Amino acid sequence: MKVDPLDSFDRKLLELLQADAQQPVSVLADAVGLSPPACYRRIRRLRASGVIEREIAVVRPRQVGWPLSMIVLISLEREDAHTLDEMMEIFRNEPEILEAWNVTGDHDFALRIVARDMEGYDDLAQRLFAANERIRTFKTLVVIREVKPLSPVPVNDV
Amino acid sequence: MKVDPLDSFDRKLLELLQADAQQPVSVLADAVGLSPPACYRRIRRLRASGVIEREIAVVRPRQVGWPLSMIVLISLEREDAHTLDEMMEIFRNEPEILEAWNVTGDHDFALRIVARDMEGYDDLAQRLFAANERIRTFKTLVVIREVKPLSPVPVNDV
DNA sequence: GGTGAAAGATTGACCGC
DNA sequence: GCGGTCAATCTTTCACC
């Protein structure tokens, strides 16, 4: 997990791999101007150091029966460590919750959730939020449009 | 982009590929109980039909100089189509905005943003939000902890 | 980091159900 | 239509410079 400084070859590789992790190393090698083995060694190093966390297939929720998505803002009754841990555990174990953040401000958590339909969401919200006495309020923002799909982390300095 | 019904082989493959898109097809084949070519044909179909949107490397923002992240809630002055389009265009073109959703309710957009430091975020917020007369209010929720990293879309029925 | 070669994976052709 | 086998091709990856 040691983070070495990234040179411009590494940054270019990260840019390319964030767009498409499936392309042959030989193609990447051409694109960055290194030989395939040199490229391969760099990619391996980026994985080992944790700069590349993992390589995954992105599945379209809509195509597999999850046409709705929501952003949910949760406020707790109390913010003690035990309550926070308990809530995080719940969120991590719920498959429909795709992302979750513990945040500052008026709310304590922001969640991104998918649902099969409104009824499905309502069931989940009742079960996870309304029935949980540690939760003071929850606010549901229904996603109308995905404006920007998960985008590459900038590596070539903005 | 036609969506055929997914059988249990497809679902198992999607589950495995969402966890690790880099494993050899031969390993996937063993795991699901098909021959590598049969597996490969299914994966190709899942890609062509758009169920698999893409395959990407996930980069840790922290490791490449973006240690802060925020959820930002935006409310517009007016919600006419032209204003919405204009805002979406701005969000899509800003590299530090990693995800953006158009939502219902008290706010119009939810954004996930990374920043190098608070000053960097403040600059961006001034430039994009405070200086934009179409934006009525924006609320920043600073992420304290990533509770749940981007998780697989459930495919084996919850 | 490059070269060249070995090992391994992907992928097409073809067969049978 | 589906999957299986076999083989050709391409990629990954190692050893060595």
Side-chain angles (χ1 to χ4, degrees):
Chain A
M1 288 296 186
K2 173 91 182 332
V3 194
D4 318 272
L6 304 173
D7 65 15
S8 67
F9 290 118
D10 290 324
R11 288 200 295 267
K12 186 76 181 160
L13 285 172
L14 288 175
E15 184 189 324
L16 295 166
L17 289 170
Q18 287 188 92
D20 180 2
Q22 214 58 30
Q23 44 194 330
V25 172
S26 57
V27 172
L28 299 170
D30 278 355
V32 304
L34 288 174
S35 67
C39 247
Y40 162 73
R41 287 189 292 254
R42 279 166 178 272
I43 295 170
R44 170 189 277 226
R45 194 159 46 74
L46 291 168
R47 287 179 184 140
S49 67
V51 171
I52 295 178
E53 187 186 322
R54 55 206 166 113
E55 282 140 296
I56 60 165
V58 178
V59 169
R60 286 199 164 87
R62 189 180 305 277
Q63 304 266 52
V64 293
W66 302 98
L68 292 180
S69 78
M70 286 87 173
I71 306 291
V72 180
L73 304 173
I74 308 266
S75 300
L76 300 180
E77 289 289 358
R78 284 170 298 103
E79 296 173 346
D80 58 290
H82 181 252
T83 303
L84 287 172
D85 286 348
E86 215 171 79
M87 295 309 304
M88 294 195 293
E89 194 56 21
I90 291 172
F91 299 152
R92 291 196 185 105
N93 287 330
E94 208 62 40
E96 286 122 309
I97 301 180
L98 298 192
E99 302 181 87
W101 305 272
N102 176 208
V103 296
T104 59
D106 295 350
H107 309 284
D108 293 298
F109 292 100
L111 313 177
R112 184 161 72 90
I113 299 186
V114 290
R116 297 215 180 277
D117 49 36
M118 274 297 172
E119 193 186 334
Y121 174 68
D122 192 49
D123 290 349
L124 179 136
Q126 288 302 315
R127 177 167 56 83
L128 286 191
F129 310 142
N132 187 322
E133 61 183 14
R134 298 180 186 282
I135 292 179
R136 184 161 51 83
T137 66
F138 71 98
K139 181 151 53 171
T140 302
L141 318 180
V142 178
V143 172
I144 303 173
R145 270 184 283 198
E146 310 269 342
V147 174
K148 188 170 187 169
L150 179 63
S151 302
V153 176
V155 285
N156 291 308
D157 285 353
V158 325
Chain B
M1 285 300 187
K2 173 91 184 333
V3 194
D4 319 271
L6 303 173
D7 65 14
S8 67
F9 290 119
D10 291 324
R11 287 200 296 267
K12 186 75 181 163
L13 283 172
L14 288 175
E15 184 189 323
L16 294 166
L17 289 170
Q18 287 187 93
D20 181 1
Q22 213 58 32
Q23 43 194 328
V25 172
S26 57
V27 172
L28 299 170
D30 278 355
V32 303
L34 288 174
S35 68
C39 247
Y40 161 73
R41 288 189 291 253
R42 281 165 177 271
I43 294 170
R44 170 189 276 227
R45 194 159 46 75
L46 291 168
R47 287 178 184 141
S49 67
V51 172
I52 294 178
E53 186 186 323
R54 53 203 168 116
E55 282 141 293
I56 60 165
V58 177
V59 168
R60 290 198 162 89
R62 189 181 305 277
Q63 304 267 51
V64 292
W66 302 98
L68 292 180
S69 78
M70 286 84 174
I71 306 291
V72 180
L73 304 173
I74 308 268
S75 300
L76 300 180
E77 288 289 356
R78 284 169 298 102
E79 296 172 346
D80 58 291
H82 181 251
T83 303
L84 287 172
D85 286 348
E86 214 172 81
M87 295 309 303
M88 294 194 294
E89 195 55 22
I90 291 172
F91 298 152
R92 291 198 185 105
N93 287 329
E94 208 62 39
E96 285 123 309
I97 301 180
L98 299 192
E99 302 180 87
W101 304 272
N102 176 209
V103 296
T104 60
D106 295 349
H107 308 284
D108 294 298
F109 291 101
L111 312 177
R112 184 161 73 89
I113 298 186
V114 290
R116 297 212 181 279
D117 49 37
M118 274 298 171
E119 193 187 335
Y121 174 68
D122 192 49
D123 290 350
L124 179 136
Q126 288 301 315
R127 177 167 58 84
L128 287 190
F129 310 141
N132 188 320
E133 61 183 14
R134 298 181 186 282
I135 292 178
R136 184 162 50 84
T137 65
F138 70 98
K139 182 151 54 169
T140 303
L141 318 180
V142 178
V143 173
I144 304 172
R145 270 184 282 199
E146 309 268 342
V147 173
K148 188 170 187 168
L150 179 63
S151 302
V153 176
V155 284
N156 291 308
D157 285 351
V158 324

